[in-house]
Amino acid sequence: MSYRPYQQITRRKSRQIMVGKVPVGGDAPITVQTMTNTPTEDAAATIAQIRRAEVAGVDIVRVSCPTPESTAALAEIVREVNVPIVADIHFHYRRAIEAAKAGAACLRINPGNIGSAERVKEVVKAARDHGCSIRIGVNGGSLEKHLLEKYGEPNPEALVESALWHAAHLQDNDFHEFKISVKASDVFLAVAAYSQLAEVCDHPLHIGITEAGGRRTGTVKSAIGLGNLLWSGIGDTLRVSLSAEPEEEVHVGWEMLKSLGLRHRGVKIISCPSCARQGFNVIRTVETLEERLAHIEVPITLSIIGCVVNGPGEALMTDIGLTGGGAGRHMVYAAGKTDHTVDEAAMIDHLVGLVETKAAAIKAEEAARKAAEAAAQLAAPVAAAQAAE
């Protein structure tokens, strides 16, 4: 969180559940999710896709499990990846039980669609026995018939009632390790439904604008909807649903959280839109730096400004800065202060080197801090014993 009062976001208080080893809700960081689009039966392809999402920084990945073959492949997938896997289940309760046994960290279901109360009880038992949490996934495009008849159309009240109806099935079985989503493709509907749901329960909320569209349109819709919710403190885990590769969903999700100061990972580039005053090609420079610095996980801010109008001011707020100058030489800033100049030909390699060096130094400092804390914890009992003597 920032130290500036106007940048503070007060998050909604919610219960905390575990998705594998990842906490969701409470005071845990907001997690970023995506979903695979490979056939789950093709374990190798699914694993490869999850690994690309891991490089992008994903926290949780969901895979579809509609068939016995897909749940059979799930055990290998879970074993070969480093993030918890959510099994996406629709209607067939046996798939949920199989997924739990295969090592899924979470089951995405709608309990009311699983079937009889006895079947819900069996799914809950499997989840409890195998340490699974559950996500209740309500969608504006697939509301229950009785709610459509009651309300006439998908609306916020219908989505919230559906969510609480499904939740009651789990609560009746004394199962409380679940989160809820009430997604819709309409931004207004989704935001209103989540806002209403946040007022009437303390369950962790998985937020998203479903079927948002392609990379550009989906990013814009998701930023408007999720940005509104996050700014209001609503949301414990999120997915940006794009007609794009899963890792692109992860990148966009992270950028949203970074923009709001809710999480920090990797290089945050502050760059100007460019104009005739630019001393170098800002657009191409930023594109190249985003690609070259994608491997950095340590939070670092980098300003890339084409001229001196805003360059020095932006550099005051970033770890490393570059401002366009004349005659092919540009000013480099460190911790907000002018430091040295660099030739344009060497500019990108130079900046990459500075960022990598800064990242390595931060990681070393963090490792030293943790080592010192561990040493202090080990020494504390000895010191207490000596004092008692």
Side-chain angles (χ1 to χ4, degrees):
M1 288 293 260
S2 169
Y3 60 87
R4 299 177 181 88
Y6 59 85
Q7 293 177 322
Q8 301 294 322
I9 291 176
T10 302
R11 288 180 59 190
R12 161 184 171 267
K13 295 185 184 302
S14 64
R15 301 177 69 250
Q16 186 173 100
I17 67 170
M18 298 299 294
V19 179
K21 295 181 179 179
V22 176
V24 173
D27 59 357
I30 298 169
T31 52
V32 177
Q33 299 193 29
T34 189
M35 185 173 184
T36 57
N37 55 38
T38 51
T40 307
E41 295 86 348
D42 187 345
T46 304
I47 291 166
Q49 193 169 73
I50 293 171
R51 285 177 176 166
R52 290 195 295 273
E54 288 177 346
V55 172
V58 77
D59 297 301
I60 300 168
V61 174
R62 179 159 50 113
V63 304
S64 184
C65 293
T67 64
E69 292 78 14
S70 62
T71 53
L74 196 60
E76 179 183 356
I77 294 168
V78 168
R79 186 172 61 249
E80 294 296 325
V81 301
N82 300 305
V83 292
I85 299 298
V86 178
D88 192 73
I89 310 293
H90 288 278
F91 305 115
H92 208 302
Y93 80 105
R94 290 193 183 277
R95 300 293 85 78
I97 295 171
E98 292 163 1
K101 291 179 178 178
C106 181
L107 306 175
R108 189 275 194 193
I109 62 171
N110 281 347
N113 296 338
I114 288 294
S116 66
E118 186 58 35
R119 288 182 175 180
V120 174
K121 187 175 182 180
E122 288 188 51
V123 171
V124 168
K125 182 179 185 303
R128 186 177 281 122
D129 289 348
H130 296 281
C132 290
S133 56
I134 288 176
R135 170 158 81 92
I136 295 171
V138 175
N139 193 302
S142 56
L143 275 172
E144 293 77 20
K145 184 179 178 180
H146 72 278
L147 291 173
L148 288 174
E149 291 174 350
K150 177 178 179 178
Y151 291 100
E153 64 175 2
N155 62 18
E157 292 74 21
L159 266 67
V160 172
E161 186 170 332
S162 176
L164 297 179
W165 178 65
H166 289 298
H169 287 77
L170 299 181
Q171 291 167 321
D172 288 344
N173 284 276
D174 196 26
F175 189 88
H176 307 281
E177 296 300 302
F178 64 89
K179 53 187 173 173
I180 303 177
S181 65
V182 283
K183 295 184 180 182
S185 59
D186 179 84
V187 172
F188 295 96
L189 175 56
V191 171
Y194 276 113
S195 299
Q196 290 186 23
L197 184 61
E199 291 290 327
V200 297
C201 74
D202 67 349
H203 304 298
L205 300 183
H206 171 104
I207 61 174
I209 305 299
T210 193
E211 297 145 4
R215 177 175 176 175
R216 180 170 58 187
T217 57
T219 295
V220 172
K221 282 183 67 175
S222 296
I224 292 170
L226 300 188
N228 264 284
L229 292 170
L230 293 168
W231 206 324
S232 300
I234 297 171
D236 301 291
T237 182
L238 65 84
R239 179 194 175 191
V240 179
S241 298
L242 302 177
S243 300
E245 292 304 311
E247 56 265 37
E248 185 62 24
E249 295 186 347
V250 179
H251 289 309
V252 175
W254 268 103
E255 290 303 323
M256 287 183 189
L257 296 178
K258 286 160 63 176
S259 294
L260 291 170
L262 291 167
R263 282 191 75 179
H264 305 280
R265 180 187 187 275
V267 181
K268 179 179 180 181
I269 298 180
I270 291 89
S271 60
C272 66
S274 80
C275 69
R277 295 192 304 268
Q278 65 182 355
F280 58 90
N281 191 321
V282 172
I283 294 173
R284 298 292 174 264
T285 299
V286 171
E287 286 178 350
T288 303
L289 286 170
E290 285 180 337
E291 182 178 341
R292 294 272 307 268
L293 296 173
H295 65 289
I296 301 293
E297 297 181 0
V298 174
I300 291 175
T301 52
L302 171 65
S303 58
I304 305 294
I305 309 298
C307 75
V308 296
V309 172
N310 291 322
E314 291 294 348
L316 287 173
M317 310 290 283
T318 55
D319 297 310
I320 299 169
L322 177 77
T323 294
R329 289 193 67 80
H330 312 299
M331 179 59 66
V332 177
Y333 297 79
K337 298 180 180 179
T338 56
D339 196 76
H340 58 277
T341 59
V342 62
D343 287 331
E344 186 166 333
M347 179 177 67
I348 289 177
D349 286 341
H350 184 67
L351 288 172
V352 170
L354 289 176
V355 171
E356 289 178 336
T357 300
K358 177 79 173 177
I362 293 173
K363 288 180 73 173
E365 290 173 3
E366 180 65 13
R369 183 187 65 79
K370 288 182 178 180
E373 289 178 353
Q377 289 177 353
L378 290 172
V382 176
Q386 290 175 342
E389 292 175 359

